[in-house]
Amino acid sequence: MKEKRFLKIVGTALLFVLGASCIEKKDTNNSMPPPTTKVESEIVHPKKPLSDEFKQYWYAGNAEITSYVLEQARYGELRDGHAVLIYVTEPFLPGKQVKADGKDPDNISVLKLNLTKKFLTGIYPYSIMGSTFYPVHDNQHAIKTSLSVQEWCGHVYSQINNRNNFEFTSHSYFENEADQKMEMEKNILENEIWTKIRINPESLPLGQLKIIPSLEFLRLYHKEPKAYDAEASMSTKDGITTYSLAYPELERTLRINFADAFPHSIESWTEETRDGFGTNAKQLITSAKKIRTLKTAYWGQHGNNDLFLRDSLGL
Protein backbone atom coordinates (compact mmCIF):
# COMPACT_ATOMS: atom_id res chain seq x y z
CA MET A 1 0.00 0.00 0.00
CA LYS A 2 2.84 2.39 0.86
CA GLU A 3 4.47 1.65 -2.51
CA LYS A 4 1.21 2.39 -4.40
CA ARG A 5 0.73 5.62 -2.42
CA PHE A 6 4.35 6.67 -3.23
CA LEU A 7 3.86 5.98 -6.97
CA LYS A 8 0.63 8.00 -6.95
CA ILE A 9 2.37 11.00 -5.35
CA VAL A 10 5.26 10.80 -7.84
CA GLY A 11 2.85 10.55 -10.76
CA THR A 12 0.88 13.57 -9.57
CA ALA A 13 4.07 15.61 -9.18
CA LEU A 14 5.23 14.62 -12.68
CA LEU A 15 1.93 15.70 -14.21
CA PHE A 16 2.21 19.03 -12.42
CA VAL A 17 5.73 19.63 -13.79
CA LEU A 18 4.71 18.71 -17.34
CA GLY A 19 1.69 21.00 -17.16
CA ALA A 20 3.74 23.85 -15.76
CA SER A 21 6.30 23.60 -18.57
CA CYS A 22 3.95 25.41 -20.94
CA ILE A 23 3.43 28.35 -18.56
CA GLU A 24 5.53 31.28 -19.73
CA LYS A 25 6.52 33.95 -17.21
CA LYS A 26 4.92 37.25 -18.08
CA ASP A 27 5.97 40.83 -17.58
CA THR A 28 3.24 42.02 -15.23
CA ASN A 29 3.82 45.61 -16.40
CA ASN A 30 2.76 44.75 -19.95
CA SER A 31 -1.03 44.69 -19.58
CA MET A 32 -2.87 45.72 -22.73
CA PRO A 33 -4.00 49.36 -22.91
CA PRO A 34 -7.52 50.38 -23.93
CA PRO A 35 -8.13 51.14 -27.63
CA THR A 36 -6.73 54.43 -28.87
CA THR A 37 -9.49 56.99 -29.31
CA LYS A 38 -7.55 59.53 -31.37
CA VAL A 39 -7.41 58.44 -35.00
CA GLU A 40 -5.37 60.24 -37.62
CA SER A 41 -5.31 59.31 -41.30
CA GLU A 42 -1.98 58.44 -42.83
CA ILE A 43 -0.54 60.79 -45.43
CA VAL A 44 0.00 58.82 -48.63
CA HIS A 45 2.91 60.43 -50.47
CA PRO A 46 3.30 60.53 -54.26
CA LYS A 47 4.43 57.26 -55.75
CA LYS A 48 8.18 56.94 -56.22
CA PRO A 49 9.08 55.79 -59.74
CA LEU A 50 10.38 52.25 -60.29
CA SER A 51 13.61 51.81 -62.20
CA ASP A 52 13.88 49.45 -65.18
CA GLU A 53 16.36 47.43 -63.12
CA PHE A 54 13.76 47.04 -60.36
CA LYS A 55 11.02 46.02 -62.80
CA GLN A 56 13.19 43.46 -64.57
CA TYR A 57 14.23 41.83 -61.31
CA TRP A 58 10.97 41.86 -59.35
CA TYR A 59 8.41 41.43 -62.15
CA ALA A 60 9.98 38.44 -63.93
CA GLY A 61 7.39 35.99 -62.57
CA ASN A 62 9.67 34.53 -59.89
CA ALA A 63 10.10 34.83 -56.16
CA GLU A 64 13.46 35.36 -54.46
CA ILE A 65 14.12 32.71 -51.81
CA THR A 66 17.15 33.03 -49.52
CA SER A 67 18.11 30.53 -46.83
CA TYR A 68 20.07 31.32 -43.65
CA VAL A 69 21.74 29.34 -40.91
CA LEU A 70 20.11 30.51 -37.69
CA GLU A 71 21.09 30.76 -34.03
CA GLN A 72 17.95 31.78 -32.15
CA ALA A 73 17.86 32.96 -28.54
CA ARG A 74 15.03 31.34 -26.60
CA TYR A 75 14.59 30.60 -22.88
CA GLY A 76 18.09 31.83 -22.09
CA GLU A 77 19.93 29.63 -24.59
CA LEU A 78 20.93 29.77 -28.27
CA ARG A 79 19.13 27.28 -30.53
CA ASP A 80 20.34 25.99 -33.90
CA GLY A 81 17.92 26.27 -36.79
CA HIS A 82 17.35 27.86 -40.16
CA ALA A 83 15.51 30.88 -41.52
CA VAL A 84 14.18 31.66 -44.98
CA LEU A 85 13.26 35.02 -46.53
CA ILE A 86 10.81 34.80 -49.44
CA TYR A 87 10.30 38.04 -51.38
CA VAL A 88 7.79 38.33 -54.22
CA THR A 89 5.69 41.07 -55.82
CA GLU A 90 1.93 40.63 -56.03
CA PRO A 91 -1.27 42.68 -56.47
CA PHE A 92 -2.93 43.58 -53.18
CA LEU A 93 -6.46 44.78 -52.42
CA PRO A 94 -6.22 47.66 -49.90
CA GLY A 95 -9.85 47.29 -48.81
CA LYS A 96 -9.94 43.58 -48.01
CA GLN A 97 -6.17 43.65 -47.38
CA VAL A 98 -5.54 40.35 -49.13
CA LYS A 99 -3.84 39.25 -52.33
CA ALA A 100 -6.02 40.14 -55.34
CA ASP A 101 -7.32 37.24 -57.43
CA GLY A 102 -7.45 39.36 -60.58
CA LYS A 103 -7.00 42.79 -62.07
CA ASP A 104 -8.70 45.63 -60.25
CA PRO A 105 -8.16 49.40 -60.53
CA ASP A 106 -7.84 49.55 -56.73
CA ASN A 107 -5.01 47.00 -56.61
CA ILE A 108 -1.75 48.11 -55.05
CA SER A 109 1.47 46.44 -56.13
CA VAL A 110 3.34 45.24 -53.04
CA LEU A 111 6.61 43.52 -52.30
CA LYS A 112 5.65 40.75 -49.92
CA LEU A 113 8.08 39.25 -47.44
CA ASN A 114 7.44 35.90 -45.79
CA LEU A 115 10.07 35.33 -43.10
CA THR A 116 10.16 31.84 -41.62
CA LYS A 117 12.18 30.35 -38.76
CA LYS A 118 12.43 26.78 -37.51
CA PHE A 119 14.40 25.67 -34.45
CA LEU A 120 14.20 23.27 -31.51
CA THR A 121 13.77 24.08 -27.82
CA GLY A 122 14.76 20.79 -26.21
CA ILE A 123 12.28 18.09 -27.16
CA TYR A 124 9.83 20.33 -28.96
CA PRO A 125 10.04 22.42 -32.16
CA TYR A 126 9.28 26.08 -32.84
CA SER A 127 7.92 27.33 -36.14
CA ILE A 128 7.59 31.09 -36.77
CA MET A 129 6.31 32.91 -39.83
CA GLY A 130 5.84 36.62 -40.42
CA SER A 131 4.29 38.23 -43.51
CA THR A 132 4.58 41.88 -44.52
CA PHE A 133 2.96 43.59 -47.51
CA TYR A 134 4.73 46.83 -48.45
CA PRO A 135 3.85 49.08 -51.43
CA VAL A 136 6.57 48.94 -54.10
CA HIS A 137 6.23 52.70 -54.64
CA ASP A 138 7.50 53.28 -51.08
CA ASN A 139 4.93 55.97 -50.35
CA GLN A 140 3.14 54.72 -47.22
CA HIS A 141 3.36 52.25 -44.36
CA ALA A 142 2.99 48.52 -44.89
CA ILE A 143 -0.63 47.71 -45.64
CA LYS A 144 -0.59 44.65 -43.43
CA THR A 145 1.82 42.59 -41.35
CA SER A 146 1.04 39.35 -39.54
CA LEU A 147 2.70 36.68 -37.43
CA SER A 148 2.04 33.08 -36.45
CA VAL A 149 3.98 30.98 -33.95
CA GLN A 150 3.50 27.25 -33.45
CA GLU A 151 5.06 25.00 -30.81
CA TRP A 152 3.89 22.03 -28.77
CA CYS A 153 2.31 24.13 -26.01
CA GLY A 154 0.01 25.81 -28.55
CA HIS A 155 -0.08 28.44 -31.25
CA VAL A 156 -0.63 32.20 -31.45
CA TYR A 157 -1.45 34.70 -34.17
CA SER A 158 -1.22 38.48 -34.40
CA GLN A 159 -1.82 41.04 -37.14
CA ILE A 160 -1.64 44.77 -37.83
CA ASN A 161 -3.92 46.21 -40.51
CA ASN A 162 -3.21 49.66 -41.92
CA ARG A 163 -6.53 51.44 -42.31
CA ASN A 164 -7.40 54.90 -40.93
CA ASN A 165 -5.15 53.85 -38.05
CA PHE A 166 -3.24 50.70 -37.14
CA GLU A 167 -5.64 47.96 -36.07
CA PHE A 168 -3.95 45.33 -33.91
CA THR A 169 -5.48 41.88 -33.43
CA SER A 170 -4.00 38.97 -31.50
CA HIS A 171 -5.06 35.46 -30.47
CA SER A 172 -3.12 33.44 -27.91
CA TYR A 173 -3.52 30.32 -25.78
CA PHE A 174 -2.21 32.21 -22.72
CA GLU A 175 -4.92 33.39 -20.32
CA ASN A 176 -3.77 36.98 -19.82
CA GLU A 177 -3.27 37.50 -23.59
CA ALA A 178 -6.14 35.44 -25.04
CA ASP A 179 -8.06 37.44 -27.70
CA GLN A 180 -7.09 41.10 -28.08
CA LYS A 181 -8.18 43.88 -30.35
CA MET A 182 -6.97 47.46 -30.12
CA GLU A 183 -5.98 50.49 -32.17
CA MET A 184 -2.54 52.05 -32.32
CA GLU A 185 -1.28 55.40 -33.46
CA LYS A 186 0.61 55.06 -36.72
CA ASN A 187 4.38 54.90 -36.51
CA ILE A 188 7.21 53.19 -38.35
CA LEU A 189 6.86 49.41 -38.32
CA GLU A 190 10.03 47.42 -37.79
CA ASN A 191 8.48 44.72 -39.97
CA GLU A 192 8.35 47.07 -42.97
CA ILE A 193 12.07 47.94 -42.70
CA TRP A 194 13.00 44.55 -44.19
CA THR A 195 11.05 45.31 -47.36
CA LYS A 196 11.98 48.97 -47.53
CA ILE A 197 15.64 47.90 -47.68
CA ARG A 198 14.96 45.92 -50.85
CA ILE A 199 13.01 48.73 -52.53
CA ASN A 200 14.72 51.96 -51.53
CA PRO A 201 17.38 51.77 -48.79
CA GLU A 202 18.17 55.48 -49.27
CA SER A 203 14.80 56.25 -47.68
CA LEU A 204 15.41 54.28 -44.47
CA PRO A 205 14.56 56.38 -41.39
CA LEU A 206 17.52 57.57 -39.31
CA GLY A 207 18.04 59.26 -35.95
CA GLN A 208 15.76 59.31 -32.91
CA LEU A 209 12.50 57.61 -33.85
CA LYS A 210 9.32 56.02 -32.58
CA ILE A 211 9.13 52.45 -33.92
CA ILE A 212 6.74 49.56 -33.37
CA PRO A 213 8.99 46.50 -32.85
CA SER A 214 8.46 43.37 -34.90
CA LEU A 215 5.41 41.29 -34.09
CA GLU A 216 7.77 38.37 -33.47
CA PHE A 217 9.65 40.24 -30.76
CA LEU A 218 6.47 41.56 -29.13
CA ARG A 219 5.04 38.06 -29.02
CA LEU A 220 8.09 36.11 -27.84
CA TYR A 221 8.89 38.62 -25.09
CA HIS A 222 5.31 39.54 -24.15
CA LYS A 223 5.80 43.27 -24.67
CA GLU A 224 3.03 45.82 -25.03
CA PRO A 225 2.23 46.44 -28.71
CA LYS A 226 3.10 50.11 -29.12
CA ALA A 227 5.82 52.39 -30.52
CA TYR A 228 9.06 52.54 -28.51
CA ASP A 229 11.89 55.05 -28.61
CA ALA A 230 14.68 53.86 -30.87
CA GLU A 231 17.80 55.19 -32.52
CA ALA A 232 18.39 54.24 -36.13
CA SER A 233 21.83 54.44 -37.73
CA MET A 234 23.53 53.21 -40.88
CA SER A 235 27.14 52.44 -41.79
CA THR A 236 28.86 50.97 -44.83
CA LYS A 237 31.99 48.86 -45.20
CA ASP A 238 33.32 46.69 -48.05
CA GLY A 239 30.09 46.83 -50.06
CA ILE A 240 27.84 45.92 -47.10
CA THR A 241 25.57 48.40 -45.35
CA THR A 242 24.48 47.80 -41.76
CA TYR A 243 21.18 49.28 -40.63
CA SER A 244 20.87 49.34 -36.83
CA LEU A 245 17.88 49.89 -34.55
CA ALA A 246 18.65 50.31 -30.84
CA TYR A 247 15.77 50.26 -28.32
CA PRO A 248 17.08 51.46 -24.91
CA GLU A 249 13.94 50.60 -22.95
CA LEU A 250 13.81 47.10 -24.41
CA GLU A 251 17.57 46.48 -24.06
CA ARG A 252 17.52 45.34 -27.67
CA THR A 253 19.51 46.11 -30.83
CA LEU A 254 18.69 44.82 -34.32
CA ARG A 255 21.33 44.98 -37.08
CA ILE A 256 20.50 44.10 -40.68
CA ASN A 257 23.41 43.71 -43.11
CA PHE A 258 22.59 44.13 -46.80
CA ALA A 259 24.44 44.60 -50.08
CA ASP A 260 25.01 48.16 -51.26
CA ALA A 261 24.40 47.15 -54.86
CA PHE A 262 20.95 46.39 -56.25
CA PRO A 263 18.96 44.23 -55.45
CA HIS A 264 20.28 44.95 -51.92
CA SER A 265 20.24 41.33 -50.81
CA ILE A 266 20.12 40.73 -47.07
CA GLU A 267 23.35 38.95 -46.20
CA SER A 268 22.90 38.49 -42.46
CA TRP A 269 21.35 39.97 -39.33
CA THR A 270 21.76 39.96 -35.56
CA GLU A 271 19.33 40.71 -32.75
CA GLU A 272 20.81 41.33 -29.31
CA THR A 273 18.36 41.29 -26.43
CA ARG A 274 17.95 40.15 -22.83
CA ASP A 275 16.64 36.59 -22.96
CA GLY A 276 15.61 34.13 -20.26
CA PHE A 277 13.79 34.37 -16.94
CA GLY A 278 14.72 36.03 -13.67
CA THR A 279 18.34 35.66 -12.55
CA ASN A 280 19.00 33.37 -15.51
CA ALA A 281 18.26 36.14 -18.02
CA LYS A 282 21.26 37.32 -20.03
CA GLN A 283 22.11 39.32 -23.13
CA LEU A 284 22.08 36.89 -26.04
CA ILE A 285 22.55 37.47 -29.76
CA THR A 286 20.28 35.82 -32.30
CA SER A 287 22.12 35.62 -35.63
CA ALA A 288 21.40 34.54 -39.20
CA LYS A 289 23.93 34.13 -42.01
CA LYS A 290 23.09 33.65 -45.67
CA ILE A 291 23.44 30.20 -47.23
CA ARG A 292 22.24 30.83 -50.78
CA THR A 293 19.54 32.43 -52.94
CA LEU A 294 17.21 30.89 -55.52
CA LYS A 295 14.98 32.79 -57.98
CA THR A 296 12.06 30.55 -58.84
CA ALA A 297 8.25 30.27 -59.03
CA TYR A 298 8.02 28.08 -55.94
CA TRP A 299 4.19 28.03 -55.85
CA GLY A 300 4.17 25.66 -58.84
CA GLN A 301 6.91 23.41 -57.45
CA HIS A 302 4.95 21.31 -55.00
CA GLY A 303 5.54 17.81 -56.40
CA ASN A 304 7.74 15.12 -54.89
CA ASN A 305 10.06 15.55 -57.87
CA ASP A 306 10.65 19.16 -56.75
CA LEU A 307 12.13 18.17 -53.38
CA PHE A 308 15.66 18.44 -54.76
CA LEU A 309 15.22 22.22 -54.88
CA ARG A 310 15.51 22.30 -51.09
CA ASP A 311 19.02 20.94 -51.50
CA SER A 312 19.72 23.95 -53.70
CA LEU A 313 18.92 26.12 -50.68
CA GLY A 314 20.92 24.02 -48.24
CA LEU A 315 17.78 23.08 -46.34
Side-chain angles (χ1 to χ4, degrees), residues 60-307:
N62 293 318
E64 181 200 81
I65 307 168
T66 305
S67 55
Y68 300 81
V69 60
L70 175 71
E71 274 195 332
Q72 177 71 43
R74 192 67 177 139
Y75 304 133
E77 296 182 84
L78 291 176
R79 320 293 180 148
D80 293 331
H82 63 262
V84 181
L85 302 187
I86 306 104
Y87 286 96
V88 64
T89 52
E90 62 185 26
F92 202 73
L93 281 171
K96 292 183 178 180
Q97 301 208 340
V98 293
K99 179 183 177 181
D101 290 334
K103 292 183 178 180
D104 189 293
D106 292 330
N107 285 353
I108 294 177
S109 183
V110 300
L111 181 60
K112 176 178 71 175
L113 167 61
N114 285 338
L115 190 161
T116 69
K117 291 181 176 180
K118 290 185 181 293
F119 56 93
L120 299 177
T121 50
I123 191 175
Y124 62 96
Y126 255 80
S127 179
I128 299 174
M129 180 172 176
S131 295
T132 300
F133 305 83
Y134 189 79
V136 297
H137 291 288
D138 190 31
N139 62 332
Q140 63 181 107
H141 289 300
I143 302 173
K144 182 169 77 172
T145 185
S146 61
L147 171 80
S148 60
V149 181
Q150 303 85 37
E151 38 99 357
W152 282 5
C153 290
H155 62 101
V156 297
Y157 181 85
S158 57
Q159 180 170 300
I160 294 176
N161 291 87
N162 181 357
R163 294 195 170 93
N164 287 333
N165 55 345
F166 280 163
E167 299 175 0
F168 174 82
T169 304
S170 180
H171 304 281
S172 170
Y173 58 89
F174 289 122
E175 179 185 356
N176 75 333
E177 292 174 343
D179 299 324
Q180 302 170 13
K181 192 170 184 179
M182 58 176 282
E183 298 179 350
M184 290 191 290
E185 184 179 348
K186 288 191 181 182
N187 279 286
I188 299 165
L189 293 163
E190 182 184 306
N191 286 99
E192 69 191 11
I193 293 294
W194 297 77
T195 345
K196 198 175 181 71
I197 286 172
R198 307 305 308 277
I199 295 173
N200 186 16
E202 292 79 13
S203 68
L204 288 168
L206 297 172
Q208 298 294 327
L209 307 166
K210 288 279 190 181
I211 300 183
I212 299 171
S214 70
L215 289 178
E216 177 187 322
F217 173 79
L218 293 174
R219 165 66 195 97
L220 294 184
Y221 293 92
H222 304 283
K223 298 299 182 181
E224 180 183 340
K226 67 174 186 177
Y228 291 81
D229 290 329
E231 183 174 356
S233 60
M234 195 154 51
S235 60
T236 300
K237 183 180 180 180
D238 299 330
I240 299 296
T241 294
T242 299
Y243 183 76
S244 302
L245 285 175
Y247 298 86
E249 181 183 346
L250 300 174
E251 298 181 277
R252 173 175 178 257
T253 300
L254 172 68
R255 296 181 179 90
I256 307 173
N257 305 306
F258 61 92
D260 293 345
F262 181 86
H264 311 298
S265 59
I266 292 177
E267 300 297 308
S268 63
W269 70 86
T270 61
E271 179 186 3
E272 181 177 358
T273 192
R274 192 164 183 79
D275 190 274
F277 299 123
T279 57
N280 294 324
K282 64 189 81 170
Q283 286 294 118
L284 291 179
I285 300 177
T286 292
S287 63
K289 296 180 181 179
K290 181 179 175 180
I291 303 173
R292 55 182 62 99
T293 296
L294 184 65
K295 285 289 295 297
T296 188
Y298 68 87
W299 48 88
Q301 298 164 336
H302 43 66
N304 285 332
N305 59 349
D306 296 312
L307 286 172

Side-chain angles (χ1 to χ4, degrees), residues 49-66:
L50 304 178
S51 68
D52 290 338
E53 188 178 36
F54 184 94
K55 294 175 184 176
Q56 290 169 9
Y57 188 85
W58 289 112
Y59 291 98
N62 293 318
E64 181 200 81
I65 307 168
T66 305

